[in-house]
Amino acid sequence: MTPADAAPEAQGRAASEVAAWIRRARAGDEQAFGLLVEQHERMVLRTALRLLGRLDQAQDAAQDVFLRLHKYLGRFDESRELGPWLYRVVVNACHDLARRRPPGREVPFDELREAEHPGLRLGPEGIEDAVSQAEQRRLVDEALSTLPAKERAVIVLRDIEGLATAEVARILGTSEGTVRSQACTARLKIKAFIEAGRASLAERRTR
Amino acid sequence: MSCERYERELALHVEGDLPPRDASRLARHLEGCPHCRGFLSALEVSQRGVKALAAEPLDDSALVAVRAGLLAAVRERPAPARTTSVWGRALAAARWHRPLGAAVAVVVAALALGLFLWTGQEGRRRAHVEAPATVAQGAGDGRGTPALAADVSTSVRHEPGSTQRAPADERTRHSTARGPRRVSGDRAVEAEQAITALSPEDADQLARAIVVLSTIRRLSDAEKPPPAEPTLAGQVVLATSDPNVVIYWQLASNGG
C-alpha cells in the first residue's frame, strides 16, 4: 500500500508505533488495544457503512471487526500491516451481516442503459447542474446498493478508500485482473444507474 | 460505428487502471470519436460522485456507540490476551472516552468545586454521609502521606521545589493529621484556585482518575462487605503540568 493509497488514519502513525501497540495489546494492555481501536475505527466504520449502506448495521460490523481483532491478537504478526488485515475482516464481517439480512434488489444492467430514457440525453454537465447535490448523493448510494457484493467491495476499496488495485486484490484474495474486471463492470453500472436516475428526475421536473 | 468495445476500456482509463499501451491506443481513438469523449465525461461525473463519499465526515456519536458496544462485549468475553486487572479495564475505559474528555473535565471541575464548598461547611458530618470528598492543601511531609478522609479524599499540594518553599506553603505544611478534617476557609479557597487553574489536559487526567477510583470502589463494594472502619483501597498521585501542583486522590471503603 503506497502512502497515497493508505487510509488517512494510517498515514499519521508510523508502522513501528502501531506494531508496538499490537505487542502491548497482545500482552494484555487494554490501553494499547484502545489505541489500536481509536486509530482505525473511522476507517473500519466508514468502509462498513459504504459496504452495507446502513449505519446501524455498519456499527454492528465495526464492533464485530474489533472483537475479531481482540480475539486474534495473540496470533497476529505485528510485522504485518494492520490496515489491510482490518480491511479484509471488514469485508468478511459485512458479507456475513449482509447474508443474514433480506436481499436487496440487484438491477439488471440492461435496465440501466441509456436507451431506457431516449430523448433525455442531456450533456453530463447539463444534467449535473439540474440535479441537486442531495439527489446526486442519493443516486450514488442507490447505485452502490444495486451492485453485487464483490463488485461493491471492489468499488469501496479501490475508488472510495483509494487503495491500489494490487492491494485490493490481496485483501479480497483474488487476482488483479479480476479486480480490474469487476471495477470496470461496476463503474459502468454506476454510471448507467446515475444517468438513468438523473434522466428520470429531469423528466419529472419538465412535466 | 459502434464504440461499445471501448466503453470497458474507458471505465478502466477513468481511474488510471488501463495499461499504458492500451491507454495510448484509446487516446488516439478519443481524438476522433465524440461519442467516446462524451461517454468518458459522463464516467468522470459518476466517478466524482462515488469518490465524494470518501470525504464525507463520520459523526463522532456513531463512533462512541461502536466503542461502548465493543467495551461491553470485550468485558463479557474471556480472551487470552486480555488483562483481568481492574486498573487496566478502568484505564482503557477512560482512554476510550477521551473525545468526551473536555466535557467530562468541566463536569468534574464543577463537582470538585461543589464538594470543596460542601466539605468546608459540612466537614464534621462527613463520616456519616455517603461518598464525601475533602480537599486539603498541604499533605504533610511526602507524597505517601496525604490526608485521609472517610471515603474519598483529594489533596492538592503546591510543590515549588524540594529545597525552596514559599512562606505561604510553609504556613500549610502542618496538616499531617490523619482522619477526617475540616477544611478551613483559606485552604478551601486555595484548593479551589488550584483546581480551577488546571489546564484542560490536567482536568482530563483528573477525570480519568475519578473513573479509576469509581471503578475500584464499585468493584470493591460488590466483592466484599464494607469494613467497620475506613480502609484505604486506592491512591492516585497526579503530577500536573504545573510543577507546583500535585493532586492526590485516595479511596477508602466506608463502613458507614
Side-chain angles (χ1 to χ4, degrees):
Chain A
M1 190 159 50
T2 66
D5 293 328
E9 293 84 351
Q11 290 180 26
R13 295 286 176 186
S16 59
E17 191 174 2
V18 174
W21 290 345
I22 292 172
R23 279 193 298 274
R24 283 170 50 196
R26 197 165 46 209
D29 184 340
E30 290 205 15
Q31 213 171 352
F33 181 71
L35 287 169
L36 286 172
V37 173
E38 208 172 79
Q39 189 65 26
H40 295 90
E41 61 188 355
R42 284 187 181 276
M43 175 269 276
V44 168
L45 183 59
R46 186 179 61 225
T47 306
L49 183 58
R50 299 304 167 221
L51 287 170
L52 292 165
R54 281 181 48 178
L55 181 60
D56 57 339
Q57 292 185 348
Q59 287 172 319
D60 289 346
Q63 280 182 22
D64 191 25
V65 167
F66 287 117
L67 283 174
R68 292 186 197 189
L69 173 64
H70 188 263
K71 181 177 179 181
Y72 293 111
L73 260 180
R75 285 179 260 168
F76 189 83
D77 176 5
E78 73 266 15
S79 65
R80 291 169 57 195
E81 279 188 86
L82 182 59
W85 187 87
L86 281 174
Y87 273 123
R88 187 178 306 127
V89 178
V90 173
V91 171
N92 290 338
C94 290
H95 181 66
D96 293 346
L97 260 177
R99 272 194 313 187
R100 294 199 294 267
R101 73 179 179 185
R105 188 176 81 100
E106 286 184 9
V107 180
F109 191 34
D110 288 346
E111 283 184 23
L112 304 174
R113 305 296 295 187
E114 293 158 355
E116 293 288 309
H117 300 274
L120 283 170
R121 290 210 53 196
L122 306 178
E125 299 303 331
I127 293 181
E128 193 168 27
D129 292 342
V131 179
S132 73
Q133 284 195 340
E135 288 167 338
Q136 158 85 8
R137 171 73 179 72
R138 185 178 57 78
L139 282 174
V140 172
D141 262 350
E142 288 181 3
L144 279 175
S145 72
T146 63
L147 296 177
K150 287 180 180 174
E151 290 174 8
R152 185 168 180 160
V154 166
I155 291 297
V156 168
L157 296 176
R158 176 73 186 90
D159 292 352
I160 300 178
E161 288 296 300
L163 304 182
T165 301
E167 188 65 48
V168 176
R170 275 195 291 276
I171 289 169
L172 298 178
T174 185
S175 69
E176 289 185 45
T178 300
V179 169
R180 268 194 288 272
S181 174
Q182 289 171 332
C184 170
T185 303
R187 287 169 192 158
L188 290 174
K189 286 181 181 176
I190 292 169
K191 169 189 172 289
F193 188 96
I194 290 175
E195 286 187 341
R198 285 171 165 174
S200 176
L201 286 168
E203 193 173 15
R204 266 182 272 163
R205 284 175 181 168
T206 55
R207 281 176 189 163
Chain B
M1 184 182 80
S2 169
C3 292
E4 209 162 302
R5 70 189 182 93
Y6 286 108
E7 291 180 357
R8 291 189 68 81
E9 290 192 359
L10 287 168
L12 293 172
H13 173 73
V14 72
E15 294 296 339
D17 288 337
L18 201 60
R21 187 185 67 248
D22 296 336
S24 301
R25 183 170 47 79
L26 181 64
R28 286 195 297 276
H29 172 76
L30 282 171
E31 285 175 9
C33 183
H35 168 79
C36 284
R37 286 201 298 272
F39 194 91
L40 179 59
S41 296
L43 263 173
E44 287 168 346
V45 169
S46 61
Q47 284 300 107
R48 270 206 299 275
V50 170
K51 298 177 92 159
L53 295 179
E56 286 186 359
L58 270 178
D59 196 307
D60 279 347
S61 62
L63 294 168
V64 169
V66 171
R67 289 178 207 157
L70 179 63
L71 187 62
V74 165
R75 281 179 170 169
E76 282 173 9
R77 66 190 292 184
R82 187 166 69 87
T83 178
T84 54
S85 147
V86 168
W87 288 93
R89 289 184 197 177
L91 285 171
R95 173 73 192 170
W96 287 352
H97 288 289
R98 193 177 63 170
L100 300 175
V104 171
V106 169
V107 173
V108 167
L111 283 173
L113 273 173
L115 287 169
F116 296 155
L117 296 174
W118 180 81
T119 52
Q121 297 168 353
E122 305 290 340
R124 294 188 186 283
R125 288 172 47 197
R126 263 186 321 222
H128 307 292
V129 179
E130 178 69 16
T134 301
V135 177
Q137 181 165 0
D141 55 357
R143 290 187 174 201
T145 57
L148 178 67
D151 192 34
V152 177
S153 80
T154 304
S155 170
V156 179
R157 185 156 67 92
H158 286 257
E159 291 187 335
S162 58
T163 56
Q164 296 180 348
R165 194 171 289 274
D169 290 306
E170 290 290 350
R171 184 164 50 81
T172 60
R173 287 192 68 209
H174 64 279
S175 57
T176 55
R178 298 175 68 84
R181 292 172 297 129
R182 187 181 182 89
V183 179
S184 72
D186 287 346
R187 286 183 194 158
V189 169
E190 289 180 37
E192 177 185 333
Q193 288 171 346
I195 292 291
T196 52
L198 288 177
S199 68
E201 291 76 17
D202 292 336
D204 186 35
Q205 201 178 7
L206 182 59
R208 294 181 193 194
I210 289 176
V211 171
V212 171
L213 291 169
S214 302
T215 305
I216 294 170
R217 181 180 175 208
R218 182 169 54 78
L219 294 175
S220 299
D221 289 349
E223 287 171 2
K224 56 188 178 185
E229 295 297 324
T231 304
L232 182 65
Q235 173 184 320
V236 172
V237 178
L238 300 175
T240 71
S241 57
D242 182 349
N244 296 327
V245 178
V246 176
I247 300 172
Y248 294 96
W249 276 82
Q250 282 193 329
L251 174 74
S253 55
N254 193 343

